[in-house]
Amino acid sequence: ELAIRVRGLTNQFGEQVIHQDLDLDVRRGEILGIVGGSGTGKSVLMRSIIGLQTPSAGEIDVFGQPALGLTDSGALREVRRRWGVLFQGGALFSTLTVAENVQVPIREFYPHYRRELLDEIAAYKVVLAGLPADAGPKYPSELSGGMKQRVGLARALALDPELLFLDEPTAGLDPIG
């Protein structure tokens, strides 16, 4: 069963072609790493799959649903609920604490959850990502680069996603960790 199906993907910025006629299949349970130099289109590919970058041409299906041009907000929300994303550098909200950053996707999809449950889930995900238990009330400005990356990972894991997108997941982390 395919989790991601990409056919004929073309991404370009002006005259600069990043991808041309790219095909990609990712099966459920498969781990796929895309390796390449800086500026070769790894992040553009991920952004295209998750709908943040509109490609020039091609088709993208995620969990059997067309990801491009998906206008039904219910179908789009259902697909997005099933994945987690770690962006380069963590992409944290600077005015939210660590715990609040981790809670963002939970609040989006489960707004009725009680504050106590949100705090409990965030605390668990923070420790799971390798941060100290007392990191929850801190703000991103109080964290090192590696700690910010781990908060981003905790947020990506917040919904126990079926599909996980990691954009440069080891940036800022020590090699042993």
Side-chain angles (χ1 to χ4, degrees), residues 45-129:
L45 175 60
M46 181 193 83
R47 291 174 55 84
S48 294
I49 294 170
I50 65 174
L52 295 178
Q53 172 73 40
T54 302
S56 304
E59 299 175 11
I60 300 172
D61 294 343
V62 180
F63 299 121
Q65 295 286 326
L68 298 177
L70 196 58
T71 57
D72 174 46
S73 61
L76 181 59
R77 281 181 57 80
E78 178 58 27
V79 170
R80 287 186 173 166
R81 186 189 59 76
R82 297 171 65 188
W83 72 47
V85 181
L86 169 62
F87 294 98
Q88 287 184 26
L92 303 179
F93 296 103
S94 61
T95 59
L96 299 181
T97 65
V98 165
E100 290 167 338
N101 265 283
V102 174
Q103 293 170 4
V104 165
I106 305 167
R107 289 176 183 272
E108 179 181 348
F109 294 102
Y110 302 101
H112 60 280
Y113 278 12
R114 295 182 337 275
R115 176 74 181 183
E116 296 80 22
L117 180 58
L118 291 170
D119 290 341
E120 187 177 326
I121 293 169
Y124 174 73
K125 299 300 180 174
V126 162
V127 172
L128 182 69

